Amino acid sequence: MSDKYKYTYRGYLCDHHSPDPPVVNFDKLNAEECERFLKEANIDHVMVYTKDHWGNSYYDTKVGKKHPALGERDWIAEIKPVLEKLNIEFTAYYCFEYDNYITKAHPEWSCMTKDGQKLVCGMPDNSSNAKWGMPCMSSDYRKYALEQLKEVVRNYHPDSLFIDIFGKSLCYCDTCKKRYRERFGMEMPETEEDMIRYNKDLATFLDDDSEELLDEVKAELKAIDPSLAITVNFSSHYRKSTRDKLDYMYTEPWAGNWLSGAYTRDTSGGRHPQLGPGNVSQIFNYQPDSIYELAAAEIAAQDCHVFMYSESMRRDGSLEFEEAQKIGKTYREIEKIEPYLGNRKVHADVCILQSDLSDTLKVTKSIPIRSVSRTKISGKHREALLGAMKLCDYSKISWCLVPELDLDLNKMKEFKAVIIPSVAYISEDMAKDLERYVYEGGVVLISGESGLSDADGKEREEFLLKDLMGLSLERKNDDYIQNPWSAYIQPKTSPVWKHSSETTPPINGTVLNCQLTDPSNMVLYGTFINPAVGLSDTTWVNWGSPLPGEDTGYPAITEHVVGDGKVISFCFDFFALINENFIWTKKVLTDLLLYLFKPSVFLATEYVNMAEYALYEKTAENEGQQEWIFHELSACARLTGGDTPLIPGGELQIDGADISLEKVFQVFPEKKEIAFTVDEENKYHIPLNPLRIHRVYQLIGK
Ligand SMILES: [Zn+2]
């Protein structure tokens, strides 16, 4: 039995995909050196290759191909006692969709492109140095891989299994084509046009295949060892039904460690997410220690288990100890905060709705061929979600994401505001819950083309949330979409613009021309101004995007009072703007949130672009005793390439109506009590210590 994955926070993979000799000879591969490396790096969780991208295995396999340089040696048999001795979690790493050996030994097992070529890594745009062959999971390779995994589990009893390059790539082999034909009654789409047209079928076909594959892996392996914990790479990007079948989650960051950490935490359903950045370490061209330390601190502060991987093995099998030292320095700091990690729930005033479905509905490009590329696919919703995370983080108000299938009325009521960032499809059930939530005093912020699609991606002519928004859609206006700034906003007097520059801020993309349906209960925050001209070969104004022209009078941002609550509507893709550096959105969202509700938690700091925080409520061990863990970080090292000046910690403000405090301690780097004050409005003012990378505090409730 092993549930080590729940408690290990310091993971590592020596990323050594190794071709045959003479390139890699393993002359100096040595378990004792490896033991010294693991100790030096203070690692408590290791992935060990059982089969790499070359198709080479590192143990005595009767099914697969052992790396020829190992000769009589069984590397896993050599290293496993070391892991046991050091009480390190042993995760078997196994690669599915890259196997350069097997696609040569069995060319008939290869994935095929639509024009009859063998699919390799980096296709179709030659985007990779490595061009490993890609076997098809619907060929007999599936049996081969499963047999090998069974062999690994039976003979080496790993604590956990990590499957890399998991999933199902788009393959045009005869088997895949036949299966598609049988299921959908037509040939697999090949032209760009058909692939877009039948995108949903293609995506369903591949996603279902992935999930069935996972079902099979689980059934076969858990029959041998029911306690084996199983995950796949990029876990948090699979659809919820697939995610829910994993024992724990592992994801590589897609939006930096800080925001990806939150995304991974909030899509994991509490299943012990690990976040493993591949860009912290660059062996031979090392980054400063502070980059390692901040990355690990950010991951841990977002309640993910820290993982790092790097190509630290030389071709003779010896190891780069510079890397071990850097990781060790970082992981010794992480070890100190481990008692405060886990068994806790993020505290948030703002909920950002996360949708798996929205970005699959409206596609403009054919589906990516490789399953790994597909997991990283992004659309309007993902972009807007990313922007919402950035803006909320900037506001210093607490926030988290909630997946669409988890967000019912009860869940909504945990938050003071719900953000709906360009969520094309909103279910009828959710619409009803949102209505109730607002009526009873909740606040909803809704942007862009939210609720303008049905479940099949067909465009609706009217907002699903028309009554809540108090807006009716007249038309989607792309008249100036070619301009970098497709419209400007004429602000109206409102607290929303309190700290904004006095100007007419620009937007880009589609403008939604709307009519007010309930004017007596509405406040107009701003109207759209058209650009003076649309850009063309013969029309322009100056170097930049054409200047503001006429005020159209169409609402740009509105507030609708409904029952005891409010709905803020942005008639454009507000949240995505920050990704393209529309700076004005930062202050507007902060002012807006502070106007809409009294935050339970607020970090007062002048370092709004640098300071980061997360607050968690600990799961109570003793009834009646409440405890919170607060992480404060300075992102300066990341923003500057390694500098860590001491910056003021600012002041943590907590509303006594939400959280009642007895004592506050700083617990990292060293433990000391922090004196705080309470003002006449029952707000706690907790002075935070200056910091270079991060500090952790423990708040004890009354
Ligand atoms: Zn195939």
Side-chain angles (χ1 to χ4, degrees):
M1 285 291 285
S2 173
D3 57 357
K4 282 187 178 158
Y5 67 96
K6 293 179 182 169
Y7 310 106
T8 53
Y9 281 94
R10 293 165 272 127
Y12 184 68
L13 164 71
C14 170
D15 202 15
H16 65 91
H17 303 288
S18 302
D20 292 356
V23 180
V24 171
N25 57 45
F26 291 139
D27 286 349
K28 292 185 179 162
L29 183 69
N30 180 311
E32 279 166 26
E33 190 192 34
C34 194
E35 180 178 342
R36 277 193 286 119
F37 186 99
L38 294 169
K39 279 188 190 157
E40 176 74 43
N42 198 31
I43 286 161
D44 68 1
H45 163 213
V46 156
M47 284 188 197
V48 181
Y49 277 178
T50 56
K51 179 166 80 76
D52 69 9
H53 293 355
W54 287 96
N56 280 325
S57 290
Y58 295 83
Y59 66 98
D60 288 339
T61 172
K62 292 193 171 69
V63 181
K65 176 204 170 211
K66 186 161 80 169
H67 195 289
L70 287 174
E72 294 299 306
R73 293 176 69 183
D74 179 331
W75 174 244
I76 296 186
E78 288 181 43
I79 199 66
K80 205 189 162 212
V82 172
L83 304 184
E84 278 166 0
K85 182 174 149 195
L86 302 178
N87 193 27
I88 290 176
E89 180 189 354
F90 165 29
T91 302
Y93 169 106
Y94 192 89
C95 176
F96 264 12
E97 277 205 322
Y98 297 144
D99 189 322
N100 210 56
Y101 156 72
I102 209 70
T103 48
K104 289 200 164 53
H106 287 276
E108 74 281 11
W109 291 357
S110 178
C111 279
M112 303 301 288
T113 65
K114 59 191 171 193
D115 43 12
Q117 282 179 281
K118 289 192 168 47
L119 185 65
V120 300
C121 174
M123 274 188 177
D125 44 3
N126 198 21
S127 59
S128 163
N129 290 332
K131 294 173 174 59
W132 290 297
M134 297 187 63
C136 171
M137 295 308 304
S138 298
S139 71
D140 284 346
Y141 171 69
R142 186 189 191 98
K143 207 172 151 230
Y144 170 87
L146 280 167
E147 282 307 312
Q148 207 180 5
L149 278 174
K150 286 198 266 184
E151 181 182 62
V152 167
V153 174
R154 204 177 282 127
N155 295 348
Y156 299 92
H157 312 288
D159 295 303
S160 39
L161 169 69
F162 170 86
I163 302 175
D164 199 10
I165 322 298
F166 175 79
K168 183 76 172 75
S169 289
L170 182 60
C171 169
Y172 289 86
C173 77
D174 290 342
T175 310
C176 288
K177 285 203 282 195
K178 180 163 173 273
R179 291 176 53 246
Y180 190 90
R181 200 183 305 124
E182 283 169 3
R183 178 159 176 191
F184 295 99
M186 59 178 281
E187 291 301 323
M188 217 161 163
E190 290 188 13
T191 65
E192 179 79 6
E193 194 191 341
D194 278 354
M195 286 175 76
I196 291 170
R197 186 166 166 210
Y198 296 106
N199 181 75
K200 203 179 169 205
D201 289 350
L202 276 171
T204 306
F205 181 62
L206 300 173
D207 290 348
D208 287 356
D209 265 7
S210 300
E211 197 164 317
E212 280 164 27
L213 179 61
L214 179 62
D215 289 339
E216 201 175 330
V217 167
K218 281 180 67 177
E220 298 267 354
L221 300 183
K222 296 218 176 205
I224 301 169
D225 178 1
S227 75
L228 179 74
I230 298 175
T231 196
V232 302
N233 201 355
F234 303 107
S235 305
S236 62
H237 300 304
Y238 285 88
R239 63 187 185 193
K240 187 170 160 29
S241 58
T242 308
R243 298 201 297 266
D244 285 350
K245 289 178 174 173
L246 298 167
D247 294 305
Y248 68 103
M249 314 282 279
Y250 179 97
T251 292
E252 293 182 17
W254 58 280
N257 296 314
W258 180 245
L259 298 178
S260 302
Y263 186 90
T264 303
R265 174 195 67 204
D266 295 338
T267 53
S268 72
R271 280 188 305 280
H272 311 280
Q274 299 177 10
L275 190 72
N279 59 355
V280 172
S281 170
Q282 303 166 39
I283 306 286
F284 310 125
N285 184 27
Y286 285 100
Q287 303 213 61
D289 292 353
S290 56
I291 297 287
Y292 285 65
E293 287 172 38
L294 176 61
E298 287 188 320
I299 293 167
Q302 295 291 30
D303 219 27
C304 294
H305 299 238
V306 188
F307 197 93
M308 294 198 185
Y309 68 93
S310 55
E311 300 179 25
S312 55
M313 189 185 281
R314 303 189 192 103
R315 64 199 191 94
D316 61 6
S318 64
L319 300 167
E320 278 262 320
F321 270 74
E322 177 72 14
E323 176 73 336
Q325 282 155 15
K326 282 176 172 288
I327 293 174
K329 197 171 166 215
T330 293
Y331 278 179
R332 266 175 270 282
E333 298 301 294
I334 290 297
E335 191 176 7
K336 290 178 194 161
I337 64 170
E338 279 172 23
Y340 308 101
L341 308 177
N343 294 323
R344 57 190 197 170
K345 181 173 175 268
V346 68
H347 177 96
D349 282 343
V350 178
C351 145
I352 305 171
L353 172 61
Q354 181 270 337
S355 166
D356 291 338
L357 194 59
S358 273
D359 282 342
T360 66
L361 293 176
K362 216 172 141 185
V363 292
T364 51
K365 271 188 261 169
S366 57
I367 199 162
I369 296 174
R370 288 179 296 141
S371 62
V372 169
S373 318
R374 215 164 60 242
T375 63
K376 297 173 188 168
I377 201 168
S378 177
K380 278 191 173 171
H381 167 61
R382 177 88 74 97
E383 287 299 313
L385 178 99
L386 173 62
M389 293 198 286
K390 288 179 187 171
L391 292 176
C392 286
D393 216 54
Y394 177 88
S395 78
K396 301 299 170 251
I397 290 167
S398 55
W399 61 276
C400 71
L401 311 180
V402 177
E404 57 198 342
L405 295 175
D406 295 337
L407 190 63
D408 58 10
L409 181 60
N410 279 334
K411 188 75 188 169
M412 289 174 196
K413 284 180 177 171
E414 293 177 16
F415 303 99
K416 301 194 176 193
V418 173
I419 290 180
I420 303 180
S422 294
V423 179
Y425 169 68
I426 295 168
S427 70
E428 296 281 348
D429 282 350
M430 182 172 294
K432 280 196 195 102
D433 286 345
L434 284 167
E435 198 177 313
R436 195 79 231 153
Y437 170 70
V438 174
Y439 197 79
E440 292 177 11
V443 169
V444 169
L445 295 89
I446 184 161
S447 73
E449 298 178 27
S450 293
L452 277 179
S453 170
D454 70 12
D456 293 319
K458 210 171 131 254
E459 282 191 29
R460 295 172 51 94
E461 287 182 4
E462 187 54 270
F463 296 113
L464 180 74
L465 301 178
K466 175 186 171 209
D467 294 340
L468 263 190
M469 296 160 73
L471 292 173
S472 170
L473 180 66
E474 191 177 292
R475 72 174 177 115
K476 289 185 190 174
N477 175 351
D478 285 335
D479 294 354
Y480 297 94
I481 196 129
Q482 75 276 27
N483 291 19
W485 293 347
S486 60
Y488 297 81
I489 295 173
Q490 178 62 60
K492 308 287 173 199
T493 309
S494 154
V496 170
W497 305 101
K498 193 168 155 191
H499 295 97
S500 293
S501 310
E502 261 188 54
T503 186
T504 51
I507 68 153
N508 71 3
T510 299
V511 165
L512 300 172
N513 283 4
C514 300
Q515 296 292 343
L516 308 185
T517 60
D518 185 18
S520 55
N521 288 309
M522 295 192 79
V523 183
L524 205 51
Y525 291 170
T527 49
F528 283 120
I529 302 171
N530 278 338
V533 297
L535 277 180
S536 73
D537 288 346
T538 53
T539 50
W540 66 89
V541 177
N542 203 330
W543 296 104
S545 197
L547 304 170
E550 300 294 321
D551 189 337
T552 65
Y554 279 107
I557 310 175
T558 60
E559 172 190 314
H560 186 210
V561 179
V562 182
D564 294 334
K566 283 176 179 161
V567 177
I568 309 301
S569 301
F570 298 92
C571 303
F572 57 101
D573 198 356
F574 172 78
F575 291 102
L577 290 181
I578 190 60
N579 301 329
E580 292 175 64
N581 211 21
F582 285 79
I583 303 154
W584 64 271
T585 54
K586 291 180 173 181
K587 284 188 173 153
V588 166
L589 189 77
T590 305
D591 279 340
L592 181 57
L593 294 177
L594 288 173
Y595 153 73
L596 289 168
F597 61 85
K598 206 164 133 192
S600 61
V601 178
F602 183 74
L603 177 64
T605 172
E606 289 176 13
Y607 291 78
V608 276
N609 291 294
M610 204 179 279
E612 302 170 333
Y613 80 87
L615 178 69
Y616 297 88
E617 184 175 356
K618 270 291 217 189
T619 315
E621 281 168 21
N622 310 316
E623 208 176 317
Q625 204 201 333
Q626 277 188 299
E627 181 188 334
W628 291 266
I629 303 298
F630 176 80
H631 298 254
E632 186 180 21
L633 302 91
S634 163
C636 189
R638 170 159 53 77
L639 299 171
T640 60
D643 297 350
T644 54
L646 197 64
I647 67 161
E651 184 183 87
L652 176 61
Q653 299 173 353
I654 292 185
D655 188 342
D658 294 293
I659 291 177
S660 192
L661 289 181
E662 174 90 49
K663 280 189 161 145
V664 175
F665 297 95
Q666 174 190 284
V667 291
F668 175 85
E670 61 280 325
K671 186 159 183 171
K672 56 181 168 192
E673 190 166 354
I674 307 284
F676 58 91
T677 56
V678 194
D679 67 18
E680 60 280 7
E681 287 175 354
N682 196 22
K683 190 197 275 183
Y684 297 99
H685 297 261
I686 305 165
L688 301 168
N689 289 318
L691 71 160
R692 293 186 190 279
I693 295 181
H694 71 129
R695 288 182 188 268
V696 183
Y697 298 83
Q698 181 185 37
L699 285 57
I700 307 288
K702 266 185 196 159

